[in-house]
Every structure is written in C-alpha cells, then in structure tokens.
Amino acid sequence: MAAEPRIRPAAAVCGPISHAIVRLAKAHKAHARQLLREVGLHPGQELILMMLWDCGPQRQSELATQFDTDSASMTRSVQRLERAGYVRRVADPADGRATLVEPTPASLVLRERIELLWSTLEADTVGGMSAAEQRAALRALQCLEGNLPCT
C-alpha cells in the first residue's frame, strides 16, 4: 500500500479508516489500470465482460443496474467495448424494441488473459499476507461494506 502522505487533510483525522479506504481504492485502481492496459481495457470494462461471460447477453439497463451506474455511463462503456470488437448489440428476441449486449468471440480470447491479470492484481494487493490474514482482511472489508446504507 502507498505510504501515508506527508500532509494529511485535517478532516481525515476524523475518519482515518475512510481516508485509508480512499487511498487504497485509488492505488488499487491505478494498478488495475496499468495491468489492464496490456489488453487495451480500462478498469471496469473487464467487469462488464466478466458479467457477460458468466450470465450471457444482457440489456444495457440491466448492466447499468448491476454496476450501479447511470445509463449514459454504461452506454459509453458498451460503445467503447463495441468499437474494440469485444461486445456487440443484438435485437432482444423477447422484445423487438430492446437490444442485448453480448460478448464476441474476440472477447472470449481475452478471458484467460483477464483472469491472469486479476490473479496478478490480487497477488500484488495481498502481498505477503498469510491465508489467515487474507481471510481476516476480506471479512473486515465485507463488514465495512455491509455497514454502509447504500450497499
């Protein structure tokens, strides 16, 4: 984890755990960005692909709900993945007015590489932590997440 900044905002003294979470999230996302650059993706795009691989074609609105984002942001993400050739939009056979987003064969080629990158991200994140320490950290993070009203 990145070292504590030399100058910490005064308000952070009132929320040291929240401040640490923000710093951790920022460092984790930056490292993910660096790793995902190898396959031409931005953080979050791999999560959309993972969802499509596991659950099959989805409506954009379902994806937006699943990732707790607005439809405009999801549209931009899907468009970027579509331009890269990793997803395509097809008519929803159940509702001709709607479209589904589905993974392309090109995205399936990336799956193994993305899984490897995620394994690397996980290993880099936990560093030298023992299995017991990792389980304890995961429990603590899940507890913190569960404490928040918007989860």
Side-chain angles (χ1 to χ4, degrees):
M1 189 161 126
E4 181 76 22
R6 284 184 278 163
I7 300 173
R8 185 169 38 162
V13 173
C14 300
I17 291 175
S18 295
H19 190 245
I21 290 169
V22 168
R23 289 184 6 258
L24 172 60
K26 183 178 177 181
H28 190 268
K29 187 173 183 176
H31 191 50
R33 180 178 293 113
Q34 179 185 6
L35 292 172
L36 290 166
R37 191 175 294 139
E38 294 176 24
V39 293
L41 296 177
H42 297 281
Q45 290 178 326
E46 84 283 13
L47 297 173
I48 294 169
L49 291 173
M50 288 175 184
M51 172 69 78
L52 296 173
W53 294 330
D54 289 348
C55 300
Q58 303 282 312
R59 288 184 179 188
Q60 262 185 221
S61 60
E62 293 167 345
L63 290 170
T65 299
Q66 182 67 30
F67 290 102
D68 193 28
T69 190
D70 59 271
S71 60
S73 294
M74 184 54 67
T75 296
R76 285 190 299 274
S77 293
V78 168
Q79 286 173 339
R80 288 182 191 119
L81 288 168
E82 191 173 35
R83 281 193 300 271
Y86 298 133
V87 301
R88 66 176 154 242
R89 290 182 243 203
V90 296
D92 184 343
D95 181 353
R97 300 168 296 165
T99 60
L100 297 174
V101 179
E102 66 178 16
T104 63
S107 81
L108 297 174
V109 172
L110 277 184
R111 186 174 186 157
E112 189 175 319
R113 288 188 66 201
I114 288 173
E115 289 171 354
L116 180 61
L117 291 173
W118 262 65
S119 293
T120 300
L121 180 61
E122 184 79 0
D124 291 347
T125 300
V126 300
M129 293 171 73
S130 70
E133 290 170 325
Q134 291 177 45
R135 286 190 301 274
L138 182 57
R139 278 193 306 276
L141 290 168
Q142 290 168 335
C143 180
L144 292 170
E145 181 182 11
N147 289 340
L148 297 174
C150 297
T151 58

